[in-house]
Amino acid sequence: VNSACQLLLEVAPTGTLSEARLRWAFSVLFSRLVRLEGMDDALALVPVMDFANHSCDCESYIDYAASQQAVVLRADRPYQPSDQ
């Protein structure tokens, strides 16, 4: 992240970026990346998955389903409305 921030600050027009804003952007990016085993561990941003609420002891996971050509959320058990 440090080297990426420095590189971006060097190539961006003067005054358009700050190191604080770049660090914020990288933290948002890295906190939302998911690893998709079904795509050889590719990293992806999956819109709306931020809203998937979960408890720490669940084993549900996000992956790519080639048969559906889609990213899917696989539940570890049946859930009722409002369960986490």
Side-chain angles (χ1 to χ4, degrees):
V1 170
N2 290 336
S3 58
C5 284
Q6 289 308 311
L7 175 66
L8 291 168
L9 287 169
E10 289 172 14
V11 299
T14 304
T16 59
L17 292 176
S18 70
E19 185 173 348
R21 287 182 178 183
L22 284 171
R23 288 189 177 282
W24 172 84
F26 276 115
S27 69
V28 169
L29 173 67
F30 293 142
S31 69
R32 287 165 174 74
L33 283 176
V34 293
R35 185 177 310 279
L36 302 173
E37 284 185 25
M39 294 187 77
D40 297 323
D41 289 334
L43 296 176
L45 290 173
V46 182
V48 184
M49 284 301 168
D50 294 31
F51 299 113
N53 197 4
H54 65 282
S55 70
C56 295
D57 64 346
C58 80
E59 295 184 27
S60 300
Y61 63 96
I62 300 165
D63 201 2
Y64 178 75
S67 62
Q68 298 171 310
Q69 295 185 332
V71 174
V72 295
L73 174 62
R74 303 239 187 247
D76 60 344
R77 59 186 163 83
Y79 284 87
Q80 298 299 316
S82 79
D83 282 354
Q84 291 192 48

